[in-house]
Amino acid sequence: SQQGEEDPQALSIQEGENATMNCSYKTSINNLQWYRQNSGRGLVHLILIRSNEREKHSGRLRVTLDTSKKSSSLLITASRAADTASYFCASITGGFKTIFGAGTRLFVKA
Amino acid sequence: NAGVTQTPKFRVLKTGQSMTLLCAQDMNHEYMYWYRQDPGMGLRLIHYSVGEGTTAKGEVPDGYNVSRLKKQNFLLGLESAAPSQTSVYFCASSYAGNTIYFGEGSWLTVV
């Protein structure tokens, strides 16, 4: 089974709305990362949050981490049609083994 | 700066054939990874390497072998391809535990 699991599997919203995606993981981590994948392309790094951090911002992105619940969330504010993509969380263990979840497919309607 | 480069981008194999996917990175990263991605699923780790001359098994290593003879290269081999290995393969590299940089993927079909 995979270390990370995203929720929801798919999300459809209107442009301008906020999109929230959640991720759960199973074992202790060194850090957790979020990636974006456009159809047919490789993954692109969005943001990294370390195990001793609780919240991090980058532009329209906000990531939270709750190590007691082994969960993280990614919030995209004021979404745009160009944000349409799949989003993956990746949990990085102390041994730097990186495990990805199944992803959330986000569709932003113009 | 090319980043992570994978070759070939597309390949069709017959069952039982062998092939090698090549991955090269020019960022002097210690860590390199091979993942496979199947429709509607996330990436599953096949094998990874924490440095030149070392390799380790990931989540789904069966049917694959890897080698890291040079720091910048990580090769993924299929000794006897099976239809179940039809997938998109991604190579990636990183400094330990930090941002992972991905290649553009290699589409493999086994018929």
Side-chain angles (χ1 to χ4, degrees):
Chain A
S1 62
Q2 296 206 53
Q3 170 84 315
E5 299 290 339
E6 284 93 344
D7 168 59
Q9 290 185 329
L11 182 60
S12 181
I13 59 174
Q14 291 291 137
E15 206 167 30
E17 294 181 338
N18 296 340
T20 300
M21 291 160 264
N22 303 298
C23 167
S24 61
Y25 57 92
K26 296 178 180 174
T27 62
S28 297
I29 59 170
N30 176 283
N31 66 74
L32 187 139
Q33 301 176 26
W34 285 89
Y35 288 80
R36 165 194 171 125
Q37 183 182 35
N38 288 88
S39 182
R41 305 298 300 274
L43 278 71
V44 175
H45 180 260
L46 294 176
I47 196 165
L48 180 156
I49 186 166
R50 301 198 182 279
S51 60
N52 61 353
E53 296 177 311
R54 293 298 168 256
E55 187 171 312
K56 203 161 185 181
H57 297 255
S58 177
R60 294 185 296 113
L61 306 179
R62 181 174 79 97
V63 169
T64 61
L65 179 65
D66 186 335
T67 53
S68 67
K69 295 181 179 178
K70 292 186 168 58
S71 67
S72 174
S73 67
L74 171 68
L75 169 68
I76 303 174
T77 60
S79 63
R80 305 166 182 169
D83 294 328
T84 295
S86 292
Y87 293 83
F88 296 89
C89 71
S91 51
I92 291 79
T93 69
F96 302 126
K97 187 174 174 180
T98 304
I99 303 292
F100 284 81
T104 293
R105 296 169 68 180
L106 174 65
F107 181 66
V108 181
K109 293 176 282 188
Chain B
N1 186 348
V4 179
T5 305
Q6 297 178 227
T7 55
K9 192 167 180 67
F10 300 98
R11 183 76 187 269
V12 178
L13 282 178
K14 293 183 179 179
T15 298
Q17 285 186 317
S18 63
M19 77 160 293
T20 300
L21 293 174
L22 310 178
C23 178
Q25 52 95 5
D26 61 3
M27 296 172 282
N28 201 35
H29 286 162
E30 290 292 336
Y31 280 62
M32 295 189 75
Y33 315 82
W34 275 107
Y35 290 89
R36 63 176 286 174
Q37 185 177 32
D38 299 299
M41 297 184 67
L43 278 72
R44 290 185 291 171
L45 183 63
I46 304 171
H47 287 279
Y48 65 105
S49 168
V50 302
E52 180 179 323
T54 73
T55 63
K57 293 180 180 180
E59 300 172 89
V60 289
D62 294 341
Y64 305 95
N65 57 76
V66 288
S67 64
R68 184 97 181 268
L69 298 179
K70 294 182 178 180
K71 186 177 184 178
Q72 63 268 34
N73 297 333
F74 194 31
L75 279 59
L76 178 71
L78 284 71
E79 293 182 344
S80 180
S84 61
Q85 293 178 306
T86 293
S87 190
V88 183
Y89 292 85
F90 289 97
C91 177
S93 71
S94 73
Y95 288 118
N98 290 307
T99 300
I100 303 170
Y101 295 85
F102 283 84
E104 288 297 304
S106 296
W107 273 254
L108 175 64
T109 300
V110 183
V111 297

mmCIF file of all heavy atoms in Angstrom, chain A residues 12-55:
data_model
loop_
_atom_site.group_PDB
_atom_site.id
_atom_site.type_symbol
_atom_site.label_atom_id
_atom_site.label_comp_id
_atom_site.label_asym_id
_atom_site.label_seq_id
_atom_site.Cartn_x
_atom_site.Cartn_y
_atom_site.Cartn_z
ATOM 1 N N SER A 12 -13.769 19.373 -8.740
ATOM 2 C CA SER A 12 -14.131 20.279 -9.818
ATOM 3 C C SER A 12 -14.684 21.558 -9.208
ATOM 4 O O SER A 12 -15.627 21.519 -8.419
ATOM 5 C CB SER A 12 -15.188 19.629 -10.726
ATOM 6 O OG SER A 12 -15.523 20.500 -11.793
ATOM 7 N N ILE A 13 -14.080 22.703 -9.547
ATOM 8 C CA ILE A 13 -14.495 23.975 -8.978
ATOM 9 C C ILE A 13 -14.548 25.043 -10.056
ATOM 10 O O ILE A 13 -14.046 24.843 -11.171
ATOM 11 C CB ILE A 13 -13.528 24.433 -7.859
ATOM 12 C CG1 ILE A 13 -12.103 24.576 -8.408
ATOM 13 C CG2 ILE A 13 -13.554 23.476 -6.688
ATOM 14 C CD1 ILE A 13 -11.125 25.157 -7.407
ATOM 15 N N GLN A 14 -15.128 26.182 -9.717
ATOM 16 C CA GLN A 14 -15.186 27.327 -10.615
ATOM 17 C C GLN A 14 -13.942 28.188 -10.409
ATOM 18 O O GLN A 14 -13.381 28.260 -9.302
ATOM 19 C CB GLN A 14 -16.418 28.177 -10.341
ATOM 20 C CG GLN A 14 -17.750 27.528 -10.712
ATOM 21 C CD GLN A 14 -17.929 27.390 -12.217
ATOM 22 O OE1 GLN A 14 -18.379 26.366 -12.712
ATOM 23 N NE2 GLN A 14 -17.564 28.422 -12.956
ATOM 24 N N GLU A 15 -13.542 28.829 -11.473
ATOM 25 C CA GLU A 15 -12.415 29.767 -11.384
ATOM 26 C C GLU A 15 -12.703 30.806 -10.304
ATOM 27 O O GLU A 15 -13.832 31.303 -10.178
ATOM 28 C CB GLU A 15 -12.223 30.447 -12.737
ATOM 29 C CG GLU A 15 -10.827 30.939 -12.998
ATOM 30 C CD GLU A 15 -10.597 31.315 -14.461
ATOM 31 O OE1 GLU A 15 -11.568 31.732 -15.126
ATOM 32 O OE2 GLU A 15 -9.466 31.170 -14.929
ATOM 33 N N GLY A 16 -11.713 31.119 -9.507
ATOM 34 C CA GLY A 16 -11.878 32.075 -8.422
ATOM 35 C C GLY A 16 -12.138 31.440 -7.071
ATOM 36 O O GLY A 16 -11.894 32.061 -6.034
ATOM 37 N N GLU A 17 -12.625 30.198 -7.082
ATOM 38 C CA GLU A 17 -12.864 29.487 -5.825
ATOM 39 C C GLU A 17 -11.553 28.941 -5.280
ATOM 40 O O GLU A 17 -10.541 28.862 -5.973
ATOM 41 C CB GLU A 17 -13.871 28.357 -6.035
ATOM 42 C CG GLU A 17 -15.265 28.823 -6.387
ATOM 43 C CD GLU A 17 -16.234 27.666 -6.571
ATOM 44 O OE1 GLU A 17 -15.772 26.534 -6.843
ATOM 45 O OE2 GLU A 17 -17.446 27.889 -6.447
ATOM 46 N N ASN A 18 -11.601 28.551 -4.011
ATOM 47 C CA ASN A 18 -10.443 27.911 -3.393
ATOM 48 C C ASN A 18 -10.544 26.391 -3.537
ATOM 49 O O ASN A 18 -11.643 25.831 -3.548
ATOM 50 C CB ASN A 18 -10.357 28.263 -1.911
ATOM 51 C CG ASN A 18 -10.123 29.731 -1.668
ATOM 52 O OD1 ASN A 18 -9.663 30.455 -2.561
ATOM 53 N ND2 ASN A 18 -10.420 30.171 -0.461
ATOM 54 N N ALA A 19 -9.401 25.734 -3.645
ATOM 55 C CA ALA A 19 -9.357 24.274 -3.741
ATOM 56 C C ALA A 19 -8.527 23.737 -2.592
ATOM 57 O O ALA A 19 -7.411 24.204 -2.347
ATOM 58 C CB ALA A 19 -8.736 23.849 -5.068
ATOM 59 N N THR A 20 -9.080 22.762 -1.881
ATOM 60 C CA THR A 20 -8.367 22.141 -0.768
ATOM 61 C C THR A 20 -8.204 20.653 -1.016
ATOM 62 O O THR A 20 -9.171 19.956 -1.338
ATOM 63 C CB THR A 20 -9.111 22.344 0.565
ATOM 64 O OG1 THR A 20 -9.225 23.742 0.819
ATOM 65 C CG2 THR A 20 -8.343 21.688 1.706
ATOM 66 N N MET A 21 -6.985 20.176 -0.879
ATOM 67 C CA MET A 21 -6.676 18.761 -1.044
ATOM 68 C C MET A 21 -5.979 18.266 0.221
ATOM 69 O O MET A 21 -5.187 19.010 0.810
ATOM 70 C CB MET A 21 -5.761 18.547 -2.249
ATOM 71 C CG MET A 21 -6.446 18.818 -3.556
ATOM 72 S SD MET A 21 -5.284 19.145 -4.897
ATOM 73 C CE MET A 21 -5.258 20.916 -4.869
ATOM 74 N N ASN A 22 -6.285 17.049 0.590
ATOM 75 C CA ASN A 22 -5.733 16.485 1.811
ATOM 76 C C ASN A 22 -4.875 15.267 1.505
ATOM 77 O O ASN A 22 -5.063 14.587 0.498
ATOM 78 C CB ASN A 22 -6.854 16.081 2.758
ATOM 79 C CG ASN A 22 -7.766 17.229 3.081
ATOM 80 O OD1 ASN A 22 -7.341 18.230 3.651
ATOM 81 N ND2 ASN A 22 -9.028 17.116 2.691
ATOM 82 N N CYS A 23 -3.942 15.022 2.402
ATOM 83 C CA CYS A 23 -3.011 13.906 2.235
ATOM 84 C C CYS A 23 -2.790 13.263 3.590
ATOM 85 O O CYS A 23 -2.607 13.965 4.598
ATOM 86 C CB CYS A 23 -1.708 14.441 1.662
ATOM 87 S SG CYS A 23 -0.314 13.308 1.725
ATOM 88 N N SER A 24 -2.801 11.945 3.619
ATOM 89 C CA SER A 24 -2.466 11.235 4.852
ATOM 90 C C SER A 24 -1.290 10.316 4.580
ATOM 91 O O SER A 24 -1.104 9.850 3.449
ATOM 92 C CB SER A 24 -3.666 10.430 5.359
ATOM 93 O OG SER A 24 -4.041 9.464 4.401
ATOM 94 N N TYR A 25 -0.497 10.082 5.602
ATOM 95 C CA TYR A 25 0.650 9.196 5.454
ATOM 96 C C TYR A 25 0.725 8.281 6.671
ATOM 97 O O TYR A 25 -0.012 8.473 7.641
ATOM 98 C CB TYR A 25 1.938 10.003 5.277
ATOM 99 C CG TYR A 25 2.236 10.982 6.381
ATOM 100 C CD1 TYR A 25 3.014 10.627 7.471
ATOM 101 C CD2 TYR A 25 1.734 12.280 6.329
ATOM 102 C CE1 TYR A 25 3.279 11.525 8.473
ATOM 103 C CE2 TYR A 25 1.995 13.191 7.332
ATOM 104 C CZ TYR A 25 2.770 12.811 8.402
ATOM 105 O OH TYR A 25 3.030 13.704 9.409
ATOM 106 N N LYS A 26 1.614 7.288 6.590
ATOM 107 C CA LYS A 26 1.522 6.217 7.587
ATOM 108 C C LYS A 26 2.675 6.160 8.583
ATOM 109 O O LYS A 26 2.501 5.678 9.691
ATOM 110 C CB LYS A 26 1.384 4.865 6.879
ATOM 111 C CG LYS A 26 0.105 4.757 6.079
ATOM 112 C CD LYS A 26 -0.014 3.439 5.336
ATOM 113 C CE LYS A 26 -1.305 3.392 4.545
ATOM 114 N NZ LYS A 26 -1.402 2.196 3.696
ATOM 115 N N THR A 27 3.838 6.596 8.190
ATOM 116 C CA THR A 27 4.976 6.481 9.111
ATOM 117 C C THR A 27 5.608 7.844 9.342
ATOM 118 O O THR A 27 5.246 8.827 8.697
ATOM 119 C CB THR A 27 6.035 5.510 8.565
ATOM 120 O OG1 THR A 27 6.528 6.023 7.323
ATOM 121 C CG2 THR A 27 5.446 4.134 8.331
ATOM 122 N N SER A 28 6.553 7.897 10.239
ATOM 123 C CA SER A 28 7.229 9.163 10.539
ATOM 124 C C SER A 28 7.935 9.705 9.301
ATOM 125 O O SER A 28 8.463 8.941 8.504
ATOM 126 C CB SER A 28 8.245 8.952 11.664
ATOM 127 O OG SER A 28 7.606 8.556 12.836
ATOM 128 N N ILE A 29 7.928 11.008 9.199
ATOM 129 C CA ILE A 29 8.512 11.627 8.016
ATOM 130 C C ILE A 29 9.598 12.625 8.384
ATOM 131 O O ILE A 29 9.622 13.157 9.489
ATOM 132 C CB ILE A 29 7.450 12.348 7.156
ATOM 133 C CG1 ILE A 29 6.754 13.436 7.973
ATOM 134 C CG2 ILE A 29 6.460 11.347 6.590
ATOM 135 C CD1 ILE A 29 5.856 14.352 7.152
ATOM 136 N N ASN A 30 10.457 12.873 7.425
ATOM 137 C CA ASN A 30 11.446 13.955 7.520
ATOM 138 C C ASN A 30 10.817 15.240 6.998
ATOM 139 O O ASN A 30 10.981 16.312 7.588
ATOM 140 C CB ASN A 30 12.686 13.582 6.710
ATOM 141 C CG ASN A 30 13.716 14.681 6.674
ATOM 142 O OD1 ASN A 30 13.565 15.665 5.930
ATOM 143 N ND2 ASN A 30 14.766 14.548 7.460
ATOM 144 N N ASN A 31 10.126 15.133 5.878
ATOM 145 C CA ASN A 31 9.378 16.256 5.337
ATOM 146 C C ASN A 31 8.288 15.731 4.413
ATOM 147 O O ASN A 31 8.253 14.536 4.087
ATOM 148 C CB ASN A 31 10.302 17.246 4.616
ATOM 149 C CG ASN A 31 10.935 16.660 3.369
ATOM 150 O OD1 ASN A 31 10.283 16.497 2.341
ATOM 151 N ND2 ASN A 31 12.226 16.358 3.439
ATOM 152 N N LEU A 32 7.396 16.625 3.988
ATOM 153 C CA LEU A 32 6.332 16.263 3.067
ATOM 154 C C LEU A 32 6.330 17.292 1.954
ATOM 155 O O LEU A 32 6.517 18.502 2.207
ATOM 156 C CB LEU A 32 4.980 16.215 3.785
ATOM 157 C CG LEU A 32 3.813 15.686 2.951
ATOM 158 C CD1 LEU A 32 2.935 14.772 3.795
ATOM 159 C CD2 LEU A 32 3.000 16.825 2.359
ATOM 160 N N GLN A 33 6.137 16.822 0.750
ATOM 161 C CA GLN A 33 6.205 17.714 -0.406
ATOM 162 C C GLN A 33 4.939 17.561 -1.242
ATOM 163 O O GLN A 33 4.321 16.503 -1.264
ATOM 164 C CB GLN A 33 7.436 17.370 -1.252
ATOM 165 C CG GLN A 33 8.743 17.483 -0.465
ATOM 166 C CD GLN A 33 9.952 17.050 -1.256
ATOM 167 O OE1 GLN A 33 9.957 17.107 -2.480
ATOM 168 N NE2 GLN A 33 11.001 16.633 -0.562
ATOM 169 N N TRP A 34 4.594 18.637 -1.932
ATOM 170 C CA TRP A 34 3.474 18.611 -2.863
ATOM 171 C C TRP A 34 4.000 18.877 -4.266
ATOM 172 O O TRP A 34 4.860 19.737 -4.469
ATOM 173 C CB TRP A 34 2.429 19.655 -2.490
ATOM 174 C CG TRP A 34 1.602 19.265 -1.306
ATOM 175 C CD1 TRP A 34 1.864 19.508 0.004
ATOM 176 C CD2 TRP A 34 0.362 18.547 -1.336
ATOM 177 N NE1 TRP A 34 0.876 18.980 0.803
ATOM 178 C CE2 TRP A 34 -0.067 18.401 0.001
ATOM 179 C CE3 TRP A 34 -0.446 18.017 -2.354
ATOM 180 C CZ2 TRP A 34 -1.251 17.735 0.339
ATOM 181 C CZ3 TRP A 34 -1.618 17.379 -2.010
ATOM 182 C CH2 TRP A 34 -2.009 17.240 -0.671
ATOM 183 N N TYR A 35 3.426 18.114 -5.215
ATOM 184 C CA TYR A 35 3.825 18.227 -6.604
ATOM 185 C C TYR A 35 2.595 18.382 -7.472
ATOM 186 O O TYR A 35 1.488 17.970 -7.119
ATOM 187 C CB TYR A 35 4.584 16.957 -7.052
ATOM 188 C CG TYR A 35 5.964 16.856 -6.469
ATOM 189 C CD1 TYR A 35 6.157 16.403 -5.168
ATOM 190 C CD2 TYR A 35 7.074 17.241 -7.203
ATOM 191 C CE1 TYR A 35 7.425 16.332 -4.620
ATOM 192 C CE2 TYR A 35 8.354 17.159 -6.662
ATOM 193 C CZ TYR A 35 8.509 16.706 -5.366
ATOM 194 O OH TYR A 35 9.765 16.638 -4.832
ATOM 195 N N ARG A 36 2.817 18.946 -8.634
ATOM 196 C CA ARG A 36 1.769 19.118 -9.622
ATOM 197 C C ARG A 36 2.190 18.390 -10.891
ATOM 198 O O ARG A 36 3.370 18.383 -11.259
ATOM 199 C CB ARG A 36 1.609 20.619 -9.889
ATOM 200 C CG ARG A 36 0.824 20.980 -11.123
ATOM 201 C CD ARG A 36 1.007 22.433 -11.463
ATOM 202 N NE ARG A 36 0.437 22.723 -12.757
ATOM 203 C CZ ARG A 36 -0.474 23.672 -12.956
ATOM 204 N NH1 ARG A 36 -0.891 24.428 -11.966
ATOM 205 N NH2 ARG A 36 -0.940 23.881 -14.164
ATOM 206 N N GLN A 37 1.197 17.787 -11.577
ATOM 207 C CA GLN A 37 1.476 17.105 -12.833
ATOM 208 C C GLN A 37 0.422 17.486 -13.852
ATOM 209 O O GLN A 37 -0.765 17.226 -13.672
ATOM 210 C CB GLN A 37 1.492 15.583 -12.657
ATOM 211 C CG GLN A 37 1.852 14.830 -13.930
ATOM 212 C CD GLN A 37 1.827 13.323 -13.752
ATOM 213 O OE1 GLN A 37 1.016 12.783 -13.013
ATOM 214 N NE2 GLN A 37 2.736 12.624 -14.429
ATOM 215 N N ASN A 38 0.865 18.122 -14.924
ATOM 216 C CA ASN A 38 -0.012 18.372 -16.043
ATOM 217 C C ASN A 38 -0.064 17.106 -16.898
ATOM 218 O O ASN A 38 0.872 16.320 -16.927
ATOM 219 C CB ASN A 38 0.491 19.565 -16.867
ATOM 220 C CG ASN A 38 0.282 20.861 -16.136
ATOM 221 O OD1 ASN A 38 1.118 21.298 -15.355
ATOM 222 N ND2 ASN A 38 -0.862 21.463 -16.361
ATOM 223 N N SER A 39 -1.165 16.939 -17.602
ATOM 224 C CA SER A 39 -1.389 15.724 -18.371
ATOM 225 C C SER A 39 -0.221 15.436 -19.317
ATOM 226 O O SER A 39 0.177 16.296 -20.088
ATOM 227 C CB SER A 39 -2.693 15.849 -19.164
ATOM 228 O OG SER A 39 -2.950 14.670 -19.883
ATOM 229 N N GLY A 40 0.316 14.224 -19.210
ATOM 230 C CA GLY A 40 1.372 13.811 -20.119
ATOM 231 C C GLY A 40 2.747 14.360 -19.800
ATOM 232 O O GLY A 40 3.668 14.212 -20.612
ATOM 233 N N ARG A 41 2.886 14.994 -18.656
ATOM 234 C CA ARG A 41 4.182 15.584 -18.301
ATOM 235 C C ARG A 41 4.717 14.997 -17.002
ATOM 236 O O ARG A 41 4.049 14.243 -16.303
ATOM 237 C CB ARG A 41 4.021 17.108 -18.127
ATOM 238 C CG ARG A 41 3.419 17.823 -19.325
ATOM 239 C CD ARG A 41 4.289 17.695 -20.551
ATOM 240 N NE ARG A 41 5.611 18.250 -20.385
ATOM 241 C CZ ARG A 41 5.915 19.528 -20.580
ATOM 242 N NH1 ARG A 41 4.978 20.388 -20.941
ATOM 243 N NH2 ARG A 41 7.158 19.944 -20.415
ATOM 244 N N GLY A 42 5.942 15.363 -16.674
ATOM 245 C CA GLY A 42 6.524 14.957 -15.408
ATOM 246 C C GLY A 42 5.986 15.796 -14.263
ATOM 247 O O GLY A 42 5.233 16.751 -14.461
ATOM 248 N N LEU A 43 6.353 15.425 -13.041
ATOM 249 C CA LEU A 43 5.885 16.155 -11.873
ATOM 250 C C LEU A 43 6.767 17.371 -11.610
ATOM 251 O O LEU A 43 7.985 17.325 -11.830
ATOM 252 C CB LEU A 43 5.907 15.261 -10.637
ATOM 253 C CG LEU A 43 4.711 14.330 -10.456
ATOM 254 C CD1 LEU A 43 4.727 13.204 -11.470
ATOM 255 C CD2 LEU A 43 4.675 13.772 -9.039
ATOM 256 N N VAL A 44 6.138 18.421 -11.128
ATOM 257 C CA VAL A 44 6.842 19.660 -10.818
ATOM 258 C C VAL A 44 6.646 19.970 -9.343
ATOM 259 O O VAL A 44 5.518 19.950 -8.846
ATOM 260 C CB VAL A 44 6.327 20.823 -11.691
ATOM 261 C CG1 VAL A 44 6.989 22.130 -11.273
ATOM 262 C CG2 VAL A 44 6.590 20.539 -13.161
ATOM 263 N N HIS A 45 7.726 20.276 -8.658
ATOM 264 C CA HIS A 45 7.687 20.553 -7.227
ATOM 265 C C HIS A 45 6.970 21.872 -6.941
ATOM 266 O O HIS A 45 7.203 22.874 -7.614
ATOM 267 C CB HIS A 45 9.111 20.623 -6.684
ATOM 268 C CG HIS A 45 9.189 20.897 -5.224
ATOM 269 N ND1 HIS A 45 9.454 22.160 -4.721
ATOM 270 C CD2 HIS A 45 9.045 20.086 -4.143
ATOM 271 C CE1 HIS A 45 9.458 22.102 -3.403
ATOM 272 N NE2 HIS A 45 9.217 20.860 -3.028
ATOM 273 N N LEU A 46 6.073 21.852 -5.944
ATOM 274 C CA LEU A 46 5.357 23.063 -5.542
ATOM 275 C C LEU A 46 5.887 23.618 -4.226
ATOM 276 O O LEU A 46 6.209 24.802 -4.126
ATOM 277 C CB LEU A 46 3.861 22.768 -5.390
ATOM 278 C CG LEU A 46 3.094 22.406 -6.658
ATOM 279 C CD1 LEU A 46 1.660 22.048 -6.317
ATOM 280 C CD2 LEU A 46 3.148 23.542 -7.673
ATOM 281 N N ILE A 47 5.944 22.753 -3.207
ATOM 282 C CA ILE A 47 6.270 23.253 -1.875
ATOM 283 C C ILE A 47 6.722 22.098 -0.993
ATOM 284 O O ILE A 47 6.273 20.960 -1.163
ATOM 285 C CB ILE A 47 5.053 23.994 -1.270
ATOM 286 C CG1 ILE A 47 5.439 24.847 -0.074
ATOM 287 C CG2 ILE A 47 3.939 23.031 -0.952
ATOM 288 C CD1 ILE A 47 4.358 25.859 0.316
ATOM 289 N N LEU A 48 7.619 22.387 -0.072
ATOM 290 C CA LEU A 48 8.128 21.411 0.883
ATOM 291 C C LEU A 48 7.869 21.923 2.287
ATOM 292 O O LEU A 48 8.128 23.095 2.573
ATOM 293 C CB LEU A 48 9.627 21.195 0.648
ATOM 294 C CG LEU A 48 10.409 20.212 1.531
ATOM 295 C CD1 LEU A 48 11.654 19.718 0.788
ATOM 296 C CD2 LEU A 48 10.813 20.806 2.873
ATOM 297 N N ILE A 49 7.358 21.065 3.157
ATOM 298 C CA ILE A 49 7.154 21.434 4.558
ATOM 299 C C ILE A 49 7.862 20.402 5.424
ATOM 300 O O ILE A 49 7.696 19.195 5.225
ATOM 301 C CB ILE A 49 5.649 21.566 4.902
ATOM 302 C CG1 ILE A 49 5.484 22.097 6.328
ATOM 303 C CG2 ILE A 49 4.890 20.286 4.672
ATOM 304 C CD1 ILE A 49 4.059 22.583 6.628
ATOM 305 N N ARG A 50 8.681 20.865 6.345
ATOM 306 C CA ARG A 50 9.466 19.965 7.187
ATOM 307 C C ARG A 50 8.632 19.487 8.366
ATOM 308 O O ARG A 50 7.633 20.100 8.745
ATOM 309 C CB ARG A 50 10.746 20.654 7.641
ATOM 310 C CG ARG A 50 11.601 21.089 6.469
ATOM 311 C CD ARG A 50 13.042 21.372 6.813
ATOM 312 N NE ARG A 50 13.770 21.823 5.630
ATOM 313 C CZ ARG A 50 14.261 21.017 4.694
ATOM 314 N NH1 ARG A 50 14.111 19.704 4.808
ATOM 315 N NH2 ARG A 50 14.898 21.503 3.655
ATOM 316 N N SER A 51 9.069 18.421 8.975
ATOM 317 C CA SER A 51 8.278 17.795 10.035
ATOM 318 C C SER A 51 8.104 18.693 11.257
ATOM 319 O O SER A 51 7.168 18.501 12.043
ATOM 320 C CB SER A 51 8.916 16.465 10.458
ATOM 321 O OG SER A 51 10.223 16.677 10.949
ATOM 322 N N ASN A 52 8.987 19.687 11.422
ATOM 323 C CA ASN A 52 8.862 20.591 12.572
ATOM 324 C C ASN A 52 8.120 21.883 12.217
ATOM 325 O O ASN A 52 8.045 22.806 13.032
ATOM 326 C CB ASN A 52 10.230 20.919 13.160
ATOM 327 C CG ASN A 52 11.126 21.615 12.164
ATOM 328 O OD1 ASN A 52 10.788 21.744 10.983
ATOM 329 N ND2 ASN A 52 12.279 22.071 12.623
ATOM 330 N N GLU A 53 7.571 21.939 11.017
ATOM 331 C CA GLU A 53 6.790 23.096 10.592
ATOM 332 C C GLU A 53 5.320 22.737 10.592
ATOM 333 O O GLU A 53 4.951 21.574 10.361
ATOM 334 C CB GLU A 53 7.224 23.552 9.192
ATOM 335 C CG GLU A 53 8.674 24.037 9.156
ATOM 336 C CD GLU A 53 9.101 24.410 7.738
ATOM 337 O OE1 GLU A 53 8.882 23.605 6.811
ATOM 338 O OE2 GLU A 53 9.662 25.517 7.577
ATOM 339 N N ARG A 54 4.468 23.719 10.786
ATOM 340 C CA ARG A 54 3.028 23.471 10.816
ATOM 341 C C ARG A 54 2.303 24.088 9.631
ATOM 342 O O ARG A 54 1.245 23.621 9.231
ATOM 343 C CB ARG A 54 2.438 23.996 12.123
ATOM 344 C CG ARG A 54 2.895 23.229 13.332
ATOM 345 C CD ARG A 54 2.450 21.771 13.253
ATOM 346 N NE ARG A 54 3.103 20.946 14.249
ATOM 347 C CZ ARG A 54 4.094 20.115 13.950
ATOM 348 N NH1 ARG A 54 4.552 20.000 12.704
ATOM 349 N NH2 ARG A 54 4.648 19.382 14.893
ATOM 350 N N GLU A 55 2.871 25.162 9.092
ATOM 351 C CA GLU A 55 2.222 25.845 7.978
ATOM 352 C C GLU A 55 3.279 26.513 7.129
ATOM 353 O O GLU A 55 4.298 26.989 7.642
ATOM 354 C CB GLU A 55 1.226 26.873 8.506
ATOM 355 C CG GLU A 55 0.366 27.522 7.444
ATOM 356 C CD GLU A 55 -0.748 28.357 8.042
ATOM 357 O OE1 GLU A 55 -1.433 27.854 8.948
ATOM 358 O OE2 GLU A 55 -0.926 29.507 7.595
#
